[in-house]
Amino acid sequence: MLSVRPPSVDSILRAVGDRAGGRDRAAVVAVARSVVAGERGRISSGSRPRSAAELGEAVLATLSDLDGPQAALAAGHTAAAAKSADAGLTPVINATGVLLHTNLGRAAWPAAAIEAARLAASEPSMLELDPETGRRGRRFSAVEDEVMALTGAEAALVTNNNAAAVALAVALAGRGGVAVSRGEAVEIGGGVRIPEIVRRAGAKLVEVGTTNRTRVADFEAVLADGTARVVLRVHPSNFAQTGFVESPDPAELAAAAHRHGAIVIDDLGSGALLDTARFGLAHEPMPSERLQAGADLVTFSGDKLVGGPQAGIIAGRAGLVDKLRRDPLARAMRPDKVILAALAATLRLYRAGVAQAEVPIWRHVCTPAAALAERANRLAKATGGRSTRLDSTVGGGSLPGQTLPSWGIALDGSGAQRLLARLRTGRTAVVGRIVDDAVVLDLRTVEPADDDRLAEAIRAALAG
Ligand SMILES: *Cc1c(COP(=O)(O)O)cnc(C)c1O
């Protein structure tokens, strides 16, 4: 499916021209931005895309709606809001080639998720109200239904992030033992370590096997005598082992755990909902596969390969999920309605079979290298840089060591660090990296619509 983007804010402002009268420019820009956001939602729900001229009229209509006694006040508010939005998080162009860059906020949301979040934030909704009975119902169960449909799980629960999901799930062990392979007792990043999460949950860490080789028999030994009641598998996420290594087959491990009355929690990290092998990458474990292999619960992030908002997703056996739902900690880990709405909208794109076109992370994964080479050539001409072949990485703790062929711009000359800093601090902030003493800007992670702004930023940094 072709992904249609709405016209840019700039082209809409051009269509408005000088017809906005004496209004504050920041207010006009803010209205144009919100018209574009609304248009994205309309497009992703199947409506006919409108031209810049039509959207210009929509901006003028909104502005004239503001022309009541409230006008000055509203325009002032909008301008102030636009300014304060600008003063907060600095937007950047991610030209690092790292698709899920933790320091840049990981996944950018699909347009449908942004629109769903906007609606959830701006209007009351049946978040916890059952429309049939008028009584309190389950909190936004639609998102859980989406998870169940995509993973085949009996039940699902959403937390603030995957670290919370793991901490909550591991607490099922009570004061008992949690068996973890020595090869998987990893640090996730930011100093967060699996052994510490297990201990903080009040459970006892039972290390099994060795750093490089762990077999089902190693787990059997601690399951048979009841030392461990929970088996925790952890995706090693940000590192890969090669050589003399062995880890248990998921199905065999689950069967062994179940023989001894134990449960298996599989922390997948990213939890791909599309098969990464289809895109020339190694196969990343999918939640449905691991549940089919016998895992009782799987956990994964909402903002890694799922490509939506930050969230933790727990999917698996209904009895266990219900137990977690009743845990008082679940309330402390409860996401906001905006996140739940955005996550549900993201997951719906997978169910509709349009994730590849609509979810930015997958759009970036799928872009053919030839298309990137063409853009690199164009940008090289526009900036005086050199078009260069690069390797992008997935990042976000997914697929360590795996790369996608990419293209970008190399800026040669001395003072690469200084140039990199100038790009970072320019009017349009750009984050790149250094390869062989040259600043390189990888286009796989840059939206094509941002190419012109990128060229302008490069020219400004080179001139500065
Ligand atoms: C990233 C990751 C986590 C933490 O997930 P967040 O959503 O960032 O909290 C936990 N486990 C694994 C294996 C991971 O890769």
Side-chain angles (χ1 to χ4, degrees):
M1 193 186 120
L2 246 170
S3 148
V4 184
R5 303 178 139 271
S8 68
V9 169
D10 280 344
S11 63
I12 293 168
L13 291 175
R14 275 197 298 277
V16 169
D18 52 15
R19 288 182 294 157
R23 290 185 186 86
D24 187 305
R25 170 151 172 101
V28 181
V29 172
V31 169
R33 280 202 185 127
S34 83
V35 164
V36 169
E39 181 69 3
R40 274 200 204 99
R42 286 184 65 259
I43 292 173
S44 67
S45 57
S47 302
R48 177 186 68 83
R50 290 180 293 176
S51 67
E54 286 173 289
L55 295 180
E57 295 308 316
V59 168
L60 287 169
T62 306
L63 286 169
S64 80
D65 282 349
L66 292 175
D67 283 345
Q70 299 286 319
L73 187 64
H77 274 311
T78 322
K83 276 191 194 120
S84 68
D86 286 349
L89 275 173
T90 307
V92 306
I93 294 181
N94 174 10
T96 60
V98 181
L99 278 74
L100 295 166
H101 201 300
T102 299
N103 298 358
L104 304 181
R106 287 193 191 153
W109 297 5
I114 295 168
E115 179 57 13
R118 194 187 64 78
L119 287 172
S122 46
E123 297 169 355
S125 55
M126 297 273 190
L127 183 72
E128 288 189 24
L129 193 71
D130 183 335
E132 305 285 321
T133 63
R135 297 218 184 118
R136 183 172 187 173
R138 270 247 301 282
R139 186 176 168 85
F140 198 40
S141 53
V143 66
E144 294 165 7
D145 295 341
E146 293 294 333
V147 174
M148 286 151 60
L150 285 165
T151 62
E154 290 171 9
L157 179 65
V158 180
T159 58
N160 280 329
N161 51 44
N162 188 31
V166 175
L168 186 64
V170 159
L172 286 171
R175 306 216 158 275
V178 176
V180 180
S181 163
R182 287 197 168 84
E184 297 180 351
V186 298
E187 176 171 319
I188 298 161
V192 178
R193 297 171 164 188
I194 289 294
E196 279 159 25
I197 291 180
V198 172
R199 281 191 208 105
R200 285 284 295 170
K204 209 166 77 232
L205 181 75
V206 180
E207 291 186 71
V208 162
T210 64
T211 305
N212 57 329
R213 307 196 87 184
T214 301
R215 302 186 185 86
V216 173
D218 297 319
F219 280 97
E220 295 247 39
V222 298
L223 291 168
D225 64 5
T227 308
R229 311 295 304 154
V230 169
V231 169
L232 175 63
R233 274 190 83 111
V234 184
H235 188 298
S237 38
N238 41 18
F239 78 107
Q241 284 191 324
T242 55
F244 191 56
V245 295
E246 182 178 346
S247 61
D249 171 71
E252 284 172 30
L253 179 56
H258 295 158
R259 264 200 308 281
H260 297 289
I263 62 165
V264 177
I265 300 169
D266 201 333
D267 171 15
L268 297 176
S270 260
L273 296 173
L274 294 179
D275 182 0
T276 48
R278 273 171 38 201
F279 311 106
L281 293 163
H283 178 71
E284 183 73 14
M286 299 172 74
S288 55
E289 280 166 17
R290 289 298 171 88
L291 288 169
Q292 245 161 40
D296 298 285
L297 294 174
V298 294
T299 75
F300 52 103
S301 292
D303 56 344
K304 290 185 179 174
L305 283 175
V306 171
Q310 177 186 301
I313 299 167
I314 304 176
R317 278 177 35 206
L320 296 174
V321 172
D322 277 341
K323 217 161 155 183
L324 296 180
R325 213 188 293 288
R326 288 194 303 270
D327 188 318
L329 266 186
R331 170 62 185 255
M333 298 168 173
R334 184 176 89 166
D336 179 64
K337 62 184 181 228
V338 168
I339 300 297
L340 292 173
L343 183 60
T346 305
L347 296 175
R348 257 181 234 126
L349 298 171
Y350 286 91
R351 276 232 283 156
V354 297
Q356 235 167 286
E358 292 293 328
V359 179
I361 168 73
W362 290 106
R363 218 162 48 219
H364 293 163
V365 165
C366 295
T367 309
L372 298 172
E374 217 179 284
R375 287 168 55 200
N377 284 335
R378 225 174 21 238
L379 276 170
K381 279 202 197 91
T383 60
R386 165 170 64 83
S387 124
T388 185
R389 164 77 174 76
L390 297 167
D391 287 307
S392 311
T393 56
V394 177
S398 321
L399 299 159
Q402 295 280 308
T403 59
L404 289 161
S406 186
W407 284 83
I409 310 295
L411 306 169
D412 301 300
S414 57
Q417 286 292 357
R418 235 176 325 132
L419 180 56
L420 203 60
R422 269 207 301 279
L423 283 162
R424 259 197 324 266
T425 53
R427 209 162 61 91
T428 298
V430 177
V431 184
R433 67 186 201 272
I434 293 181
V435 177
D436 296 335
D437 297 329
V439 168
V440 302
L441 304 169
D442 189 323
L443 293 179
R444 185 173 287 284
T445 49
V446 177
E447 288 293 339
D450 284 336
D451 279 2
D452 289 346
R453 283 170 63 222
L454 176 59
E456 211 177 284
I458 294 171
R459 284 194 299 261
L462 288 172

